[in-house]
């Protein structure tokens, strides 16, 4: 049943019907395993469901007027992807998908940071440093809706990326 549902989602996406795809991906239809993360219990959505949810939400967000299902889908995709990358920080594809979702929401700083995390997951620390620095520059230029928590994370991750890039350069 799960595979048939996912196939239905893919078919609706291919037809450009993101709203119907999102209906198949509603939270009660997407069961996940519960995992412990720190003191909190989180539901670990299956990876395929997660990526299809993000794809459907982004596709739906491009429609005007914005369907309610797409807005809710973007929120759900963001929350689930954030949980996923917290549990699986080396998943470059998940970070790339999160960057796409952030961009669809107009969260430029988050999108740049997620792109830098893709580089970190791929062990390309020099590229990650460049992206983190571009995120810092975006904050300094006063981009719209600067998230100061995200900016703080960028600062911390930049320091880590610089350290890892130096280590990587010494190994060569």
């Amino acid at each position: 049943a799960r595979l048939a549902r996912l196939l239905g989602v893919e078919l609706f996406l291919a037809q450009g019907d993101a709203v119907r795809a999102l209906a198949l991906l509603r939270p009660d239809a997407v069961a996940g395993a519960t995992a412990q993360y720190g003191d909190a219990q989180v539901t670990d959505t299956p990876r395929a469901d997660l990526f299809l949810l993000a794809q459907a939400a982004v596709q739906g967000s491009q429609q005007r007027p914005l369907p309610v299902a797409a807005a809710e889908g973007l929120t759900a995709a963001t929350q689930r992807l954030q949980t996923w990358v917290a549990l699986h920080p080396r998943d470059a594809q998940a970070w790339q998908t999160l960057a796409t979702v952030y961009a669809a929401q107009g969260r430029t700083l988050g999108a740049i940071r997620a792109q830098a995390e893709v580089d970190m997951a791929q062990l390309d620390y020099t590229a990650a440093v460049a992206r983190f620095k571009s995120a810092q520059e975006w904050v300094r230029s006063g981009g719209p809706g600067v998230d100061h928590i995200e900016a703080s994370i960028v600062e911390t991750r930049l320091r880590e990326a610089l350290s890892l890039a130096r280590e990587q350069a010494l190994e060569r």
Side-chain angles (χ1 to χ4, degrees):
R2 177 178 173 270
L3 294 177
R5 183 177 50 77
L6 294 179
L7 178 60
V9 170
E10 287 186 20
L11 290 172
F12 285 134
L13 288 174
Q15 295 170 354
D17 193 345
V19 174
R20 288 177 71 186
L22 285 165
L24 288 177
L25 291 167
R26 65 188 188 284
D28 57 328
V30 180
T34 302
Q36 195 70 27
Y37 183 69
D39 292 334
Q41 275 197 339
V42 295
T43 300
D44 197 12
T45 303
R47 194 169 188 266
D49 297 49
L50 181 63
F51 289 172
L52 283 173
L53 172 63
Q55 184 181 352
V58 169
Q59 190 179 90
S61 73
Q62 296 167 351
Q63 297 175 5
R64 295 294 174 248
L66 179 65
V68 173
E72 291 172 354
L74 281 173
T75 302
T78 300
Q79 292 169 347
R80 290 178 185 198
L81 280 165
Q82 287 171 336
T83 300
W84 182 271
V85 297
L87 296 171
H88 309 92
R90 309 290 292 169
D91 188 342
Q93 186 178 6
W95 280 110
Q96 182 65 53
T97 304
L98 183 58
T100 302
V101 171
Y102 279 156
Q105 291 176 314
R107 295 174 60 180
T108 306
L109 181 58
I112 297 169
R113 176 186 163 230
Q115 287 286 345
E117 296 291 355
V118 169
D119 294 327
M120 293 286 284
Q122 294 174 339
L123 307 179
D124 188 353
Y125 302 121
T126 305
V129 166
R131 287 199 195 265
F132 284 129
K133 285 184 177 181
S134 94
Q136 283 183 321
E137 185 58 37
W138 190 85
V139 170
R140 282 189 206 107
S141 71
V146 172
D147 179 352
H148 295 291
I149 294 172
E150 191 76 43
S152 296
I153 293 170
V154 165
E155 296 289 331
T156 302
R157 295 295 286 156
L158 173 60
R159 285 193 295 275
E160 184 176 351
L162 283 167
S163 173
L164 291 168
R166 279 191 289 269
E167 285 179 31
Q168 196 175 54
L170 290 174
E171 289 176 4
R172 293 182 186 173

